Amino acid sequence: MSYPQPLTPEERLAEAKKLLSLPCTVVICGSTRFMAEMAEADLGETMAGRIVVKPGCDMKSPHALWSDPVEAEALKARLDDLHRAKIRLADEVLVVGDYIGDSTRAEIAYARSLDKPVRFTHPEVDPDA
């Protein structure tokens, strides 16, 4: 007699989303140089009925929270961890912008390793195309 395998955390999350009738969740990725484009993408995805999560700050813009270089490096590591959590939470990824840097490339690879669909505002920059 075989017993059903326990659900993975990802499968339990997907089941919970279905039970709650939650709409698709999209995480926006890309260089923070595209923050204005990310806001536009957020608007479009929201108007399409999707829940949107995206980077919450632009560390390339001056701010007291990351003015100290040592603290800024630690903050960047925490924000990278947080963004990977957003990718795990999301149903799909939307990459914004016509440039893919190392961080975004790593986020795309991470999303694909989790079998998350990845869309691009500029498909020609897809590193796997």
Side-chain angles (χ1 to χ4, degrees):
M1 178 191 301
S2 67
Y3 295 96
Q5 294 294 316
L7 296 177
T8 66
E10 293 81 7
E11 290 167 333
R12 290 196 326 256
L13 177 60
E15 286 297 314
K17 287 179 176 183
K18 284 181 195 171
L19 287 171
L20 294 169
S21 300
L22 293 178
C24 176
T25 302
V26 177
V27 62
I28 294 177
C29 294
S31 171
T32 55
R33 71 173 73 170
F34 299 117
M35 290 299 274
E37 291 87 345
M38 288 181 187
E40 273 302 306
D42 184 346
L43 177 61
E45 295 295 311
T46 298
M47 295 307 294
R50 298 179 185 98
I51 296 170
V52 179
V53 291
K54 64 182 196 303
C57 60
D58 172 9
M59 290 186 65
K60 291 178 180 148
S61 297
H63 194 284
L65 288 174
W66 48 84
S67 60
D68 176 87
V70 173
E71 290 179 22
E73 192 62 33
L75 176 60
K76 174 148 181 22
R78 288 195 316 271
L79 292 174
D80 288 346
D81 288 344
L82 180 61
H83 202 69
R84 282 189 295 277
K86 291 175 183 179
I87 292 169
R88 289 191 305 276
L89 176 67
D91 299 303
E92 62 181 54
V93 173
L94 175 60
V95 179
V96 172
D98 61 0
Y99 162 81
I100 303 292
D102 292 339
S103 293
T104 303
R105 188 178 315 278
E107 291 166 356
I108 293 165
Y110 183 65
R112 287 182 167 153
S113 78
L114 300 172
D115 294 322
K116 304 283 181 172
V118 180
R119 294 186 285 128
F120 292 81
T121 59
H122 295 75
E124 68 276 7
V125 300
D126 182 347
D128 293 334

